Amino acid sequence: MARAKQTGQNQTGQNQRGQGTPATVALTKAGLAFSIHAYEHDPAAKSFGLEAAEALGLAPEQVYKTLLVEVDGKLAVGVVPVDRQLDLKAVAAALDGKKALMADPAAAERSTGYVVGGISPIGQKRLLPTVIDSSAADYDTVYVSGGRRGLDIGLSPGDLITITSARTAPIARPPR
């Protein structure tokens, strides 16, 4: 079981050496308000997102996972609650595409600069078309990966949409 822990990070997500993740650096540079939530990651966890929700004492529907997809052969990002699955047909339609497939994990890591399980929708190497599930509007604060396993960022859905240049659509479905 993962446990929340105090880290040597300040409000900008910087560690004691003054370095943050690309996500915290991007948010700070943009002047957007956010909070940092670190926890001790368990390498045996089956679901990184559900682990984060449990460790941080948050409702799973308020914690979002970042998934890379290929829509008509081009990489894109889908952001959905951790207790839901990405609806591939819905994300393709939201991006005016015909077909979506989950991206190869190695391609996702190369494109974003993050490791699987720690991919943030914020601060990726290059801005990809992004769709955030419309359920995010139900909350004042949503939580996404901060750019590494064991680190989440809390921010307003509007700021998440702004920093990722995202559109919103109903792209989540119940797990099968």
Side-chain angles (χ1 to χ4, degrees):
M1 173 197 234
R3 294 186 347 231
K5 68 176 181 176
Q6 193 71 329
T7 65
Q9 294 183 322
N10 64 25
Q11 290 294 61
T12 63
Q14 294 178 337
N15 61 26
Q16 292 168 344
R17 293 183 306 267
Q19 301 166 326
T21 67
T24 61
V25 170
L27 286 163
T28 300
K29 185 176 178 182
L32 298 175
F34 65 98
S35 57
I36 297 290
H37 306 272
Y39 60 93
E40 191 173 321
H41 166 64
D42 178 359
K46 292 182 182 179
S47 166
F48 297 115
L50 290 174
E51 175 195 31
E54 181 182 331
L56 298 172
L58 298 168
E61 58 272 11
Q62 196 172 0
V63 180
Y64 286 69
K65 58 188 171 185
T66 305
L67 301 169
L68 265 74
V69 294
E70 281 189 34
V71 177
D72 298 338
K74 296 181 181 171
L75 287 177
V77 178
V79 183
V80 298
V82 299
D83 64 344
R84 312 278 287 175
Q85 289 183 337
L86 179 64
D87 182 328
L88 292 170
K89 288 182 181 179
V91 77
L95 292 168
D96 301 320
K98 293 182 187 209
K99 185 175 182 181
L101 304 168
M102 293 304 297
D104 174 69
E109 290 181 346
R110 275 192 310 274
S111 175
T112 64
Y114 294 120
V115 298
V116 170
I119 295 177
S120 179
I122 304 163
Q124 296 181 5
K125 282 184 180 179
R126 61 186 174 110
L127 190 61
L128 296 171
T130 301
V131 183
I132 299 169
D133 186 66
S134 53
S135 66
D138 296 343
Y139 303 98
D140 292 332
T141 303
V142 293
Y143 300 85
V144 297
S145 174
R148 69 172 181 265
R149 295 174 187 158
L151 182 70
D152 268 33
I153 295 171
L155 73 166
S156 77
D159 286 346
L160 179 59
I161 291 165
T162 297
I163 192 112
T164 59
S165 299
R167 58 181 79 173
T168 61
I171 61 167
R173 64 176 171 77
R176 290 185 180 165

